[in-house]
Amino acid sequence: CKEPRQKAKMRAALALLPVVGAYVAPIGQKRATVAANANSLSMPFLEQPKNLDGSMAGDVGFDPLGLSEIDDLGVDLYWLREAELKHGR
C-alpha cells in the first residue's frame, strides 16, 4: 500500500526536475561586449542602443523609444533606472 504512493511521489519529483532547473542561475557565464552597429538581443531588427552595453542587470538592449539616449534633457540612464525601480516597473 505504501509502495504505489512512493512511486507517485517519485514520478512527480522527476516531472518537476526540468522546471526547477530553470530557476538556477548559470555559473561562470560572461557577457560579451557589444560591437558598434550590433543588433539588439531583444529586438534583432533594431540596432543595439549605444548606452545599453549589458553592464546593468536585465539589459538586453530593449529600448525601442530611444529613452537611453536623451542626454540633451539632462537625464542619464542611471536616473531612469532608479525611477523605474522606485515605481515598481
Side-chain angles (χ1 to χ4, degrees):
C1 190
K2 187 176 181 181
E3 190 173 306
R5 181 177 271 178
Q6 190 174 17
K7 284 183 180 181
K9 286 182 181 180
M10 182 62 80
R11 283 191 204 119
L14 290 175
L16 291 175
L17 195 60
V19 175
V20 172
Y23 293 105
V24 177
I27 298 173
Q29 187 177 24
K30 293 187 178 182
R31 195 170 184 129
T33 57
V34 177
N37 295 332
N39 288 342
S40 171
L41 293 175
S42 63
M43 301 178 82
F45 52 88
L46 294 178
E47 288 185 13
Q48 177 83 18
K50 65 179 181 177
N51 292 333
L52 299 179
D53 58 357
S55 60
M56 290 191 198
D59 177 12
V60 291
F62 183 77
D63 187 21
L65 299 178
L67 296 175
S68 66
E69 299 176 6
I70 55 172
D71 295 332
D72 56 339
L73 296 177
V75 178
D76 67 340
L77 188 60
Y78 294 100
W79 184 85
L80 290 172
R81 178 181 178 264
E82 289 299 318
E84 290 292 321
L85 290 173
K86 177 181 178 182
H87 297 289
R89 295 182 185 156

